[in-house]
Amino acid sequence: MCKLFIQADPELWRSATHSLRIDGMVTSVRMENYFWHILEEIAQRDGMNTAQMITRLYHESIDAGHDLGNFTSFLRVCALRYQALQLTGDIPAQHQVPIATLDAEQILARESGNRRDPLH
């Protein structure tokens, strides 16, 4: 089991810092490269670059009333959630299908109907 993780490309877990501007303020986000790759894929699906998508996530989260005290953790969870939703088929594997075209309400309703604990 461990060989699958240990012998993966070490570049995946190296951290990289990206600077971006949100509402005129420059901020830096440091995450492992693997997360940056996933976030880039998400952004490309909807015709954005990574900084644009992160800014949009930030604004929509604030509008929804979320406390983003640890924004980097939020972004990591977004990346993992994206992959989990692909595994369940809620997000198509075809990258040409924009996430904005998906029925988020239906996906969330289906998830809440299947929930037995907060992580499933």
Side-chain angles (χ1 to χ4, degrees):
M1 172 191 103
C2 294
K3 189 174 187 174
L4 289 173
F5 306 109
I6 293 169
Q7 293 188 358
D9 181 359
E11 190 60 30
L12 294 174
W13 65 78
R14 284 200 180 90
S15 292
T17 301
H18 292 230
S19 293
L20 55 134
R21 188 176 300 272
I22 299 177
D23 296 335
M25 300 289 293
V26 176
T27 187
S28 295
V29 177
R30 183 173 182 81
M31 286 188 293
E32 296 75 14
N33 287 327
Y34 188 73
F35 290 108
W36 286 116
H37 295 309
I38 296 168
L39 292 174
E40 182 179 358
E41 180 179 309
I42 296 168
Q44 287 176 351
R45 287 183 80 130
D46 283 84
M48 293 182 267
N49 64 40
T50 308
Q52 290 169 322
M53 193 253 330
I54 289 172
T55 300
R56 187 169 183 175
L57 281 171
Y58 177 83
H59 285 135
E60 289 183 12
S61 295
I62 294 300
D63 291 346
H66 293 295
D67 175 13
L68 294 177
N70 191 337
F71 190 57
T72 303
S73 290
F74 169 74
L75 293 174
R76 284 187 183 102
V77 170
C78 288
L80 293 174
R81 182 161 167 69
Y82 169 76
Q83 289 190 319
L85 289 168
Q86 281 187 311
L87 288 172
T88 62
D90 288 312
I91 293 180
Q94 301 84 4
H95 293 178
Q96 65 271 20
V97 177
I99 293 172
T101 64
L102 303 176
D103 187 343
E105 295 300 325
Q106 182 181 18
I107 293 169
L108 292 167
R110 190 169 39 253
E111 279 184 332
S112 67
N114 293 332
R115 224 175 251 163
R116 293 193 181 145
D117 67 60
L119 296 177
H120 294 97

